[in-house]
mmCIF file of all heavy atoms in Angstrom:
data_model
loop_
_atom_site.group_PDB
_atom_site.id
_atom_site.type_symbol
_atom_site.label_atom_id
_atom_site.label_comp_id
_atom_site.label_asym_id
_atom_site.label_seq_id
_atom_site.Cartn_x
_atom_site.Cartn_y
_atom_site.Cartn_z
ATOM 1 N N SER A 11 -12.758 184.419 -39.686
ATOM 2 C CA SER A 11 -13.813 185.412 -39.516
ATOM 3 C C SER A 11 -14.984 184.828 -38.736
ATOM 4 O O SER A 11 -15.558 185.488 -37.860
ATOM 5 C CB SER A 11 -14.286 185.917 -40.881
ATOM 6 O OG SER A 11 -15.238 186.940 -40.736
ATOM 7 N N GLU A 12 -15.315 183.587 -39.023
ATOM 8 C CA GLU A 12 -16.399 182.934 -38.293
ATOM 9 C C GLU A 12 -16.043 182.747 -36.817
ATOM 10 O O GLU A 12 -16.885 182.928 -35.935
ATOM 11 C CB GLU A 12 -16.720 181.578 -38.936
ATOM 12 C CG GLU A 12 -17.865 180.828 -38.279
ATOM 13 C CD GLU A 12 -19.163 181.630 -38.268
ATOM 14 O OE1 GLU A 12 -19.411 182.376 -39.232
ATOM 15 O OE2 GLU A 12 -19.926 181.503 -37.288
ATOM 16 N N VAL A 13 -14.789 182.393 -36.556
ATOM 17 C CA VAL A 13 -14.343 182.255 -35.165
ATOM 18 C C VAL A 13 -14.445 183.599 -34.437
ATOM 19 O O VAL A 13 -14.941 183.687 -33.300
ATOM 20 C CB VAL A 13 -12.896 181.727 -35.109
ATOM 21 C CG1 VAL A 13 -12.335 181.801 -33.687
ATOM 22 C CG2 VAL A 13 -12.825 180.298 -35.616
ATOM 23 N N ILE A 14 -13.984 184.655 -35.092
ATOM 24 C CA ILE A 14 -14.016 185.984 -34.481
ATOM 25 C C ILE A 14 -15.453 186.398 -34.163
ATOM 26 O O ILE A 14 -15.742 186.912 -33.068
ATOM 27 C CB ILE A 14 -13.337 187.013 -35.407
ATOM 28 C CG1 ILE A 14 -11.830 186.725 -35.502
ATOM 29 C CG2 ILE A 14 -13.566 188.441 -34.906
ATOM 30 C CD1 ILE A 14 -11.127 187.503 -36.605
ATOM 31 N N LYS A 15 -16.354 186.165 -35.088
ATOM 32 C CA LYS A 15 -17.755 186.542 -34.882
ATOM 33 C C LYS A 15 -18.388 185.718 -33.769
ATOM 34 O O LYS A 15 -19.025 186.255 -32.851
ATOM 35 C CB LYS A 15 -18.549 186.339 -36.173
ATOM 36 C CG LYS A 15 -18.256 187.326 -37.271
ATOM 37 C CD LYS A 15 -19.070 186.966 -38.519
ATOM 38 C CE LYS A 15 -18.735 187.872 -39.676
ATOM 39 N NZ LYS A 15 -19.447 187.476 -40.933
ATOM 40 N N SER A 16 -18.243 184.400 -33.833
ATOM 41 C CA SER A 16 -18.951 183.523 -32.897
ATOM 42 C C SER A 16 -18.428 183.628 -31.476
ATOM 43 O O SER A 16 -19.166 183.358 -30.524
ATOM 44 C CB SER A 16 -18.876 182.072 -33.378
ATOM 45 O OG SER A 16 -17.539 181.634 -33.456
ATOM 46 N N HIS A 17 -17.165 184.048 -31.314
ATOM 47 C CA HIS A 17 -16.586 184.148 -29.973
ATOM 48 C C HIS A 17 -16.366 185.595 -29.534
ATOM 49 O O HIS A 17 -15.777 185.830 -28.473
ATOM 50 C CB HIS A 17 -15.261 183.390 -29.924
ATOM 51 C CG HIS A 17 -15.409 181.908 -30.130
ATOM 52 N ND1 HIS A 17 -15.762 181.039 -29.121
ATOM 53 C CD2 HIS A 17 -15.268 181.150 -31.254
ATOM 54 C CE1 HIS A 17 -15.820 179.807 -29.603
ATOM 55 N NE2 HIS A 17 -15.526 179.844 -30.888
ATOM 56 N N SER A 18 -16.839 186.543 -30.307
ATOM 57 C CA SER A 18 -16.715 187.976 -29.974
ATOM 58 C C SER A 18 -15.270 188.344 -29.631
ATOM 59 O O SER A 18 -14.978 188.931 -28.583
ATOM 60 C CB SER A 18 -17.644 188.333 -28.809
ATOM 61 O OG SER A 18 -18.995 188.086 -29.134
ATOM 62 N N VAL A 19 -14.361 187.983 -30.516
ATOM 63 C CA VAL A 19 -12.931 188.217 -30.294
ATOM 64 C C VAL A 19 -12.623 189.710 -30.344
ATOM 65 O O VAL A 19 -13.121 190.433 -31.220
ATOM 66 C CB VAL A 19 -12.096 187.456 -31.348
ATOM 67 C CG1 VAL A 19 -10.622 187.857 -31.285
ATOM 68 C CG2 VAL A 19 -12.251 185.946 -31.154
ATOM 69 N N ASP A 20 -11.798 190.162 -29.410
ATOM 70 C CA ASP A 20 -11.394 191.565 -29.356
ATOM 71 C C ASP A 20 -10.038 191.811 -30.024
ATOM 72 O O ASP A 20 -9.824 192.864 -30.626
ATOM 73 C CB ASP A 20 -11.305 192.025 -27.891
ATOM 74 C CG ASP A 20 -12.646 191.976 -27.203
ATOM 75 O OD1 ASP A 20 -13.498 192.818 -27.513
ATOM 76 O OD2 ASP A 20 -12.851 191.077 -26.358
ATOM 77 N N ILE A 21 -9.108 190.868 -29.863
ATOM 78 C CA ILE A 21 -7.763 191.011 -30.415
ATOM 79 C C ILE A 21 -7.371 189.701 -31.084
ATOM 80 O O ILE A 21 -7.533 188.618 -30.504
ATOM 81 C CB ILE A 21 -6.732 191.349 -29.326
ATOM 82 C CG1 ILE A 21 -7.016 192.733 -28.720
ATOM 83 C CG2 ILE A 21 -5.308 191.308 -29.881
ATOM 84 C CD1 ILE A 21 -6.096 193.084 -27.560
ATOM 85 N N VAL A 22 -6.833 189.799 -32.307
ATOM 86 C CA VAL A 22 -6.229 188.653 -32.978
ATOM 87 C C VAL A 22 -4.719 188.864 -32.968
ATOM 88 O O VAL A 22 -4.225 189.903 -33.415
ATOM 89 C CB VAL A 22 -6.731 188.511 -34.426
ATOM 90 C CG1 VAL A 22 -6.065 187.314 -35.094
ATOM 91 C CG2 VAL A 22 -8.249 188.370 -34.464
ATOM 92 N N HIS A 23 -3.987 187.878 -32.465
ATOM 93 C CA HIS A 23 -2.528 187.965 -32.334
ATOM 94 C C HIS A 23 -1.907 186.884 -33.208
ATOM 95 O O HIS A 23 -2.007 185.690 -32.921
ATOM 96 C CB HIS A 23 -2.131 187.755 -30.865
ATOM 97 C CG HIS A 23 -0.686 187.994 -30.589
ATOM 98 N ND1 HIS A 23 -0.193 188.187 -29.309
ATOM 99 C CD2 HIS A 23 0.404 188.066 -31.402
ATOM 100 C CE1 HIS A 23 1.111 188.368 -29.356
ATOM 101 N NE2 HIS A 23 1.492 188.287 -30.628
ATOM 102 N N ALA A 24 -1.268 187.305 -34.301
ATOM 103 C CA ALA A 24 -0.670 186.365 -35.263
ATOM 104 C C ALA A 24 0.801 186.169 -34.954
ATOM 105 O O ALA A 24 1.545 187.138 -34.778
ATOM 106 C CB ALA A 24 -0.840 186.871 -36.678
ATOM 107 N N ARG A 25 1.237 184.918 -34.940
ATOM 108 C CA ARG A 25 2.614 184.582 -34.585
ATOM 109 C C ARG A 25 3.401 183.953 -35.725
ATOM 110 O O ARG A 25 4.509 183.477 -35.522
ATOM 111 C CB ARG A 25 2.615 183.652 -33.368
ATOM 112 C CG ARG A 25 2.052 184.325 -32.113
ATOM 113 C CD ARG A 25 2.211 183.466 -30.884
ATOM 114 N NE ARG A 25 1.796 184.155 -29.671
ATOM 115 C CZ ARG A 25 2.555 184.983 -28.969
ATOM 116 N NH1 ARG A 25 3.785 185.242 -29.382
ATOM 117 N NH2 ARG A 25 2.106 185.562 -27.874
ATOM 118 N N SER A 26 2.855 183.959 -36.920
ATOM 119 C CA SER A 26 3.546 183.385 -38.073
ATOM 120 C C SER A 26 2.963 184.001 -39.338
ATOM 121 O O SER A 26 1.808 184.453 -39.348
ATOM 122 C CB SER A 26 3.381 181.863 -38.081
ATOM 123 O OG SER A 26 4.104 181.269 -39.133
ATOM 124 N N ARG A 27 3.732 183.994 -40.407
ATOM 125 C CA ARG A 27 3.366 184.775 -41.585
ATOM 126 C C ARG A 27 2.144 184.238 -42.317
ATOM 127 O O ARG A 27 1.227 185.017 -42.626
ATOM 128 C CB ARG A 27 4.566 184.864 -42.527
ATOM 129 C CG ARG A 27 5.689 185.730 -42.007
ATOM 130 C CD ARG A 27 6.973 185.525 -42.795
ATOM 131 N NE ARG A 27 7.529 184.184 -42.578
ATOM 132 C CZ ARG A 27 8.597 183.713 -43.209
ATOM 133 N NH1 ARG A 27 9.219 184.472 -44.104
ATOM 134 N NH2 ARG A 27 9.053 182.499 -42.948
ATOM 135 N N ALA A 28 2.105 182.956 -42.647
ATOM 136 C CA ALA A 28 0.970 182.443 -43.426
ATOM 137 C C ALA A 28 -0.357 182.650 -42.688
ATOM 138 O O ALA A 28 -1.308 183.187 -43.271
ATOM 139 C CB ALA A 28 1.192 180.978 -43.768
ATOM 140 N N PRO A 29 -0.471 182.272 -41.399
ATOM 141 C CA PRO A 29 -1.724 182.561 -40.696
ATOM 142 C C PRO A 29 -2.014 184.051 -40.576
ATOM 143 O O PRO A 29 -3.172 184.458 -40.524
ATOM 144 C CB PRO A 29 -1.508 181.935 -39.311
ATOM 145 C CG PRO A 29 -0.408 180.968 -39.466
ATOM 146 C CD PRO A 29 0.458 181.509 -40.561
ATOM 147 N N ALA A 30 -0.957 184.875 -40.534
ATOM 148 C CA ALA A 30 -1.155 186.318 -40.395
ATOM 149 C C ALA A 30 -1.887 186.904 -41.597
ATOM 150 O O ALA A 30 -2.700 187.829 -41.443
ATOM 151 C CB ALA A 30 0.184 187.016 -40.197
ATOM 152 N N TRP A 31 -1.610 186.397 -42.801
ATOM 153 C CA TRP A 31 -2.307 186.902 -43.978
ATOM 154 C C TRP A 31 -3.816 186.672 -43.854
ATOM 155 O O TRP A 31 -4.614 187.561 -44.174
ATOM 156 C CB TRP A 31 -1.769 186.230 -45.235
ATOM 157 C CG TRP A 31 -0.473 186.810 -45.710
ATOM 158 C CD1 TRP A 31 0.784 186.307 -45.517
ATOM 159 C CD2 TRP A 31 -0.305 188.031 -46.440
ATOM 160 N NE1 TRP A 31 1.722 187.142 -46.081
ATOM 161 C CE2 TRP A 31 1.093 188.213 -46.652
ATOM 162 C CE3 TRP A 31 -1.193 188.997 -46.927
ATOM 163 C CZ2 TRP A 31 1.607 189.310 -47.338
ATOM 164 C CZ3 TRP A 31 -0.682 190.095 -47.618
ATOM 165 C CH2 TRP A 31 0.702 190.242 -47.815
ATOM 166 N N SER A 32 -4.200 185.503 -43.381
ATOM 167 C CA SER A 32 -5.628 185.222 -43.188
ATOM 168 C C SER A 32 -6.177 186.024 -42.016
ATOM 169 O O SER A 32 -7.284 186.570 -42.080
ATOM 170 C CB SER A 32 -5.836 183.729 -42.928
ATOM 171 O OG SER A 32 -5.292 182.935 -43.945
ATOM 172 N N ALA A 33 -5.402 186.100 -40.944
ATOM 173 C CA ALA A 33 -5.878 186.732 -39.710
ATOM 174 C C ALA A 33 -6.110 188.224 -39.887
ATOM 175 O O ALA A 33 -7.073 188.781 -39.342
ATOM 176 C CB ALA A 33 -4.885 186.478 -38.580
ATOM 177 N N LEU A 34 -5.226 188.904 -40.628
ATOM 178 C CA LEU A 34 -5.409 190.337 -40.822
ATOM 179 C C LEU A 34 -6.723 190.622 -41.548
ATOM 180 O O LEU A 34 -7.505 191.487 -41.125
ATOM 181 C CB LEU A 34 -4.245 190.919 -41.623
ATOM 182 C CG LEU A 34 -4.410 192.387 -42.028
ATOM 183 C CD1 LEU A 34 -4.485 193.284 -40.800
ATOM 184 C CD2 LEU A 34 -3.285 192.832 -42.957
ATOM 185 N N ALA A 35 -6.983 189.904 -42.632
ATOM 186 C CA ALA A 35 -8.217 190.126 -43.383
ATOM 187 C C ALA A 35 -9.444 189.850 -42.521
ATOM 188 O O ALA A 35 -10.416 190.619 -42.533
ATOM 189 C CB ALA A 35 -8.233 189.249 -44.634
ATOM 190 N N ALA A 36 -9.392 188.761 -41.754
ATOM 191 C CA ALA A 36 -10.531 188.415 -40.891
ATOM 192 C C ALA A 36 -10.731 189.451 -39.792
ATOM 193 O O ALA A 36 -11.865 189.822 -39.466
ATOM 194 C CB ALA A 36 -10.316 187.030 -40.286
ATOM 195 N N ALA A 37 -9.621 189.932 -39.220
ATOM 196 C CA ALA A 37 -9.716 190.941 -38.161
ATOM 197 C C ALA A 37 -10.308 192.239 -38.703
ATOM 198 O O ALA A 37 -11.174 192.863 -38.071
ATOM 199 C CB ALA A 37 -8.341 191.194 -37.548
ATOM 200 N N ARG A 38 -9.868 192.661 -39.881
ATOM 201 C CA ARG A 38 -10.376 193.895 -40.454
ATOM 202 C C ARG A 38 -11.863 193.779 -40.831
ATOM 203 O O ARG A 38 -12.637 194.724 -40.675
ATOM 204 C CB ARG A 38 -9.552 194.279 -41.684
ATOM 205 C CG ARG A 38 -8.096 194.609 -41.379
ATOM 206 C CD ARG A 38 -7.981 195.846 -40.495
ATOM 207 N NE ARG A 38 -6.590 196.217 -40.249
ATOM 208 C CZ ARG A 38 -5.967 196.092 -39.074
ATOM 209 N NH1 ARG A 38 -6.625 195.596 -38.025
ATOM 210 N NH2 ARG A 38 -4.712 196.466 -38.940
ATOM 211 N N GLN A 39 -12.261 192.615 -41.297
ATOM 212 C CA GLN A 39 -13.677 192.402 -41.624
ATOM 213 C C GLN A 39 -14.562 192.549 -40.401
ATOM 214 O O GLN A 39 -15.733 192.954 -40.506
ATOM 215 C CB GLN A 39 -13.883 191.005 -42.231
ATOM 216 C CG GLN A 39 -13.383 190.843 -43.650
ATOM 217 C CD GLN A 39 -13.537 189.422 -44.161
ATOM 218 O OE1 GLN A 39 -14.144 188.569 -43.491
ATOM 219 N NE2 GLN A 39 -13.000 189.153 -45.354
ATOM 220 N N ASN A 40 -14.011 192.233 -39.234
ATOM 221 C CA ASN A 40 -14.806 192.227 -38.003
ATOM 222 C C ASN A 40 -14.447 193.357 -37.048
ATOM 223 O O ASN A 40 -14.871 193.362 -35.894
ATOM 224 C CB ASN A 40 -14.644 190.876 -37.307
ATOM 225 C CG ASN A 40 -15.272 189.743 -38.090
ATOM 226 O OD1 ASN A 40 -16.472 189.519 -38.000
ATOM 227 N ND2 ASN A 40 -14.464 189.036 -38.880
ATOM 228 N N ASN A 41 -13.630 194.304 -37.541
ATOM 229 C CA ASN A 41 -13.316 195.509 -36.771
ATOM 230 C C ASN A 41 -12.722 195.179 -35.399
ATOM 231 O O ASN A 41 -13.113 195.748 -34.379
ATOM 232 C CB ASN A 41 -14.577 196.377 -36.600
ATOM 233 C CG ASN A 41 -14.234 197.790 -36.153
ATOM 234 O OD1 ASN A 41 -13.181 198.326 -36.507
ATOM 235 N ND2 ASN A 41 -15.113 198.388 -35.360
ATOM 236 N N CYS A 42 -11.769 194.229 -35.374
ATOM 237 C CA CYS A 42 -11.087 193.959 -34.113
ATOM 238 C C CYS A 42 -9.591 194.216 -34.279
ATOM 239 O O CYS A 42 -9.079 194.334 -35.387
ATOM 240 C CB CYS A 42 -11.354 192.538 -33.604
ATOM 241 S SG CYS A 42 -10.721 191.214 -34.622
ATOM 242 N N HIS A 43 -8.904 194.342 -33.160
ATOM 243 C CA HIS A 43 -7.497 194.702 -33.165
ATOM 244 C C HIS A 43 -6.641 193.553 -33.701
ATOM 245 O O HIS A 43 -6.981 192.378 -33.552
ATOM 246 C CB HIS A 43 -7.038 195.062 -31.751
ATOM 247 C CG HIS A 43 -7.786 196.216 -31.161
ATOM 248 N ND1 HIS A 43 -7.648 197.508 -31.609
ATOM 249 C CD2 HIS A 43 -8.686 196.265 -30.136
ATOM 250 C CE1 HIS A 43 -8.417 198.310 -30.890
ATOM 251 N NE2 HIS A 43 -9.070 197.593 -30.001
ATOM 252 N N PHE A 44 -5.498 193.927 -34.272
ATOM 253 C CA PHE A 44 -4.589 192.939 -34.866
ATOM 254 C C PHE A 44 -3.178 193.190 -34.347
ATOM 255 O O PHE A 44 -2.667 194.317 -34.407
ATOM 256 C CB PHE A 44 -4.620 193.052 -36.389
ATOM 257 C CG PHE A 44 -3.772 192.050 -37.116
ATOM 258 C CD1 PHE A 44 -4.001 190.693 -36.978
ATOM 259 C CD2 PHE A 44 -2.730 192.457 -37.948
ATOM 260 C CE1 PHE A 44 -3.224 189.763 -37.663
ATOM 261 C CE2 PHE A 44 -1.955 191.546 -38.636
ATOM 262 C CZ PHE A 44 -2.197 190.183 -38.493
ATOM 263 N N VAL A 45 -2.555 192.146 -33.798
ATOM 264 C CA VAL A 45 -1.202 192.203 -33.236
ATOM 265 C C VAL A 45 -0.358 191.126 -33.915
ATOM 266 O O VAL A 45 -0.865 190.040 -34.231
ATOM 267 C CB VAL A 45 -1.224 191.972 -31.708
ATOM 268 C CG1 VAL A 45 0.194 191.921 -31.134
ATOM 269 C CG2 VAL A 45 -2.042 193.055 -31.015
ATOM 270 N N THR A 46 0.909 191.416 -34.163
ATOM 271 C CA THR A 46 1.821 190.403 -34.696
ATOM 272 C C THR A 46 3.051 190.300 -33.809
ATOM 273 O O THR A 46 3.387 191.237 -33.082
ATOM 274 C CB THR A 46 2.280 190.756 -36.124
ATOM 275 O OG1 THR A 46 2.989 191.997 -36.100
ATOM 276 C CG2 THR A 46 1.104 190.853 -37.077
ATOM 277 N N THR A 47 3.728 189.166 -33.876
ATOM 278 C CA THR A 47 5.015 188.992 -33.204
ATOM 279 C C THR A 47 6.037 188.453 -34.199
ATOM 280 O O THR A 47 5.805 187.436 -34.853
ATOM 281 C CB THR A 47 4.922 188.029 -32.013
ATOM 282 O OG1 THR A 47 4.139 188.632 -30.981
ATOM 283 C CG2 THR A 47 6.302 187.732 -31.441
ATOM 284 N N PHE A 48 7.169 189.160 -34.312
ATOM 285 C CA PHE A 48 8.335 188.652 -35.026
ATOM 286 C C PHE A 48 9.085 187.727 -34.072
ATOM 287 O O PHE A 48 9.709 188.187 -33.118
ATOM 288 C CB PHE A 48 9.264 189.812 -35.418
ATOM 289 C CG PHE A 48 8.994 190.408 -36.759
ATOM 290 C CD1 PHE A 48 7.889 191.223 -36.964
ATOM 291 C CD2 PHE A 48 9.855 190.181 -37.825
ATOM 292 C CE1 PHE A 48 7.644 191.799 -38.200
ATOM 293 C CE2 PHE A 48 9.619 190.764 -39.076
ATOM 294 C CZ PHE A 48 8.507 191.566 -39.254
ATOM 295 N N HIS A 49 9.022 186.423 -34.328
ATOM 296 C CA HIS A 49 9.772 185.462 -33.521
ATOM 297 C C HIS A 49 11.157 185.183 -34.109
ATOM 298 O O HIS A 49 11.911 184.386 -33.543
ATOM 299 C CB HIS A 49 8.990 184.157 -33.385
ATOM 300 C CG HIS A 49 7.805 184.256 -32.479
ATOM 301 N ND1 HIS A 49 7.907 184.149 -31.112
ATOM 302 C CD2 HIS A 49 6.499 184.476 -32.751
ATOM 303 C CE1 HIS A 49 6.709 184.280 -30.570
ATOM 304 N NE2 HIS A 49 5.839 184.477 -31.538
ATOM 305 N N GLY A 50 11.473 185.815 -35.217
ATOM 306 C CA GLY A 50 12.767 185.605 -35.844
ATOM 307 C C GLY A 50 13.015 186.661 -36.895
ATOM 308 O O GLY A 50 12.171 187.530 -37.139
ATOM 309 N N THR A 51 14.180 186.585 -37.515
ATOM 310 C CA THR A 51 14.522 187.513 -38.594
ATOM 311 C C THR A 51 14.331 186.772 -39.908
ATOM 312 O O THR A 51 15.169 185.981 -40.311
ATOM 313 C CB THR A 51 15.974 187.997 -38.456
ATOM 314 O OG1 THR A 51 16.844 186.859 -38.390
ATOM 315 C CG2 THR A 51 16.143 188.813 -37.187
ATOM 316 N N TYR A 52 13.228 187.009 -40.549
ATOM 317 C CA TYR A 52 12.897 186.278 -41.764
ATOM 318 C C TYR A 52 13.839 186.667 -42.905
ATOM 319 O O TYR A 52 14.250 187.821 -43.009
ATOM 320 C CB TYR A 52 11.451 186.575 -42.170
ATOM 321 C CG TYR A 52 10.448 186.386 -41.057
ATOM 322 C CD1 TYR A 52 9.678 187.447 -40.597
ATOM 323 C CD2 TYR A 52 10.283 185.139 -40.451
ATOM 324 C CE1 TYR A 52 8.756 187.277 -39.574
ATOM 325 C CE2 TYR A 52 9.373 184.958 -39.432
ATOM 326 C CZ TYR A 52 8.612 186.039 -38.989
ATOM 327 O OH TYR A 52 7.715 185.863 -37.968
ATOM 328 N N SER A 53 14.163 185.702 -43.736
ATOM 329 C CA SER A 53 15.008 186.002 -44.897
ATOM 330 C C SER A 53 14.280 186.990 -45.800
ATOM 331 O O SER A 53 13.057 186.939 -45.954
ATOM 332 C CB SER A 53 15.339 184.715 -45.656
ATOM 333 O OG SER A 53 14.161 184.092 -46.121
ATOM 334 N N HIS A 54 15.044 187.903 -46.394
ATOM 335 C CA HIS A 54 14.417 189.000 -47.136
ATOM 336 C C HIS A 54 15.232 189.355 -48.382
ATOM 337 O O HIS A 54 15.311 190.515 -48.780
ATOM 338 C CB HIS A 54 14.294 190.235 -46.234
ATOM 339 C CG HIS A 54 15.607 190.650 -45.621
ATOM 340 N ND1 HIS A 54 16.103 190.051 -44.482
ATOM 341 C CD2 HIS A 54 16.523 191.573 -45.994
ATOM 342 C CE1 HIS A 54 17.268 190.604 -44.183
ATOM 343 N NE2 HIS A 54 17.547 191.524 -45.083
ATOM 344 N N GLY A 55 15.810 188.355 -49.019
ATOM 345 C CA GLY A 55 16.752 188.605 -50.102
ATOM 346 C C GLY A 55 16.138 189.007 -51.423
ATOM 347 O O GLY A 55 16.855 189.429 -52.330
#
């Protein structure tokens, strides 16, 4: 959230699950866009 504020970030693009959990909350707090990429088929059993 501090990075987003200090650098006036417009889009946060998360490429992995653990960082994505933090990134989504930070993006929503700062009203900026959020993008994700599935780089694989995660196990879902």
Side-chain angles (χ1 to χ4, degrees):
S11 184
E12 182 58 35
V13 170
I14 292 168
K15 288 177 184 176
S16 61
H17 295 278
S18 299
V19 171
D20 296 288
I21 295 176
V22 179
H23 187 163
R25 296 187 174 276
S26 184
R27 290 166 292 176
W31 281 100
S32 305
L34 173 63
R38 295 296 183 250
Q39 287 176 7
N40 292 277
N41 196 32
C42 65
H43 300 290
F44 183 60
V45 176
T46 62
T47 292
F48 269 74
H49 287 277
T51 55
Y52 309 119
S53 60
H54 54 277

